[in-house]
Amino acid sequence: MPIIKPVYTAVATAPVATGGAISTTVTPAVTRFFATITAGMIGATTTTIPAASFVDDADAPVVALPTLTATDSANYYINGVIQQSSLFTLTTASLVIASVDITPGVPTVIEISDFSGTTSTITTQPTISAPTVTIIT
C-alpha cells in the first residue's frame, strides 16, 4: 500500500511597508582656487601649475592644494570652460594638466565640493505588516 500524505494548498500575502520618513541634508563645502598659466608652466608634454601659483576665494595665497577624499568632487576650468577630469592630476604640490595646448595668460580654476556633511536619518520608522498565510484544506 502506498504512503498517504496530506495535501495542503496555501495562499500568502507579501509584507507591506507603510509610513516612514527619511530626512536627507546635503551641505557641501565648496572651495575654489585660481591661477593664471605662465609660459614657464607649459612643459614638453604636460602643463604643471605649482600650488604656490594659486589663490583661494579670499585672494589669499595657497601653500598647498587639498587632497581629494571619497566625498569630494572636483571640477577643473580652463579659460572659464569646464574640462574633463581625466586630463588633470591634483596633488598638494601642483595641478598637472595632460596638455600643452594652452596659451600663457589663460585663467585656470579648481572647484572642489566636499560632501562629507551629507546626512540621512529615518525620522519616522516604517510599519511593516506581517505576511498572512491562509491554509486551504
Side-chain angles (χ1 to χ4, degrees), residues 42-90:
I42 303 170
T45 58
T46 61
T47 302
T48 302
I49 308 170
S53 297
F54 285 91
V55 295
D56 63 15
D57 269 333
D59 206 31
V62 173
V63 176
L65 294 167
T67 300
L68 296 179
T69 66
T71 60
D72 292 342
S73 173
N75 291 319
Y76 304 95
Y77 300 84
I78 296 178
N79 207 20
V81 179
I82 193 166
Q83 304 293 315
Q84 293 173 308
S85 63
S86 62
L87 297 175
F88 297 85
T89 303
L90 180 66

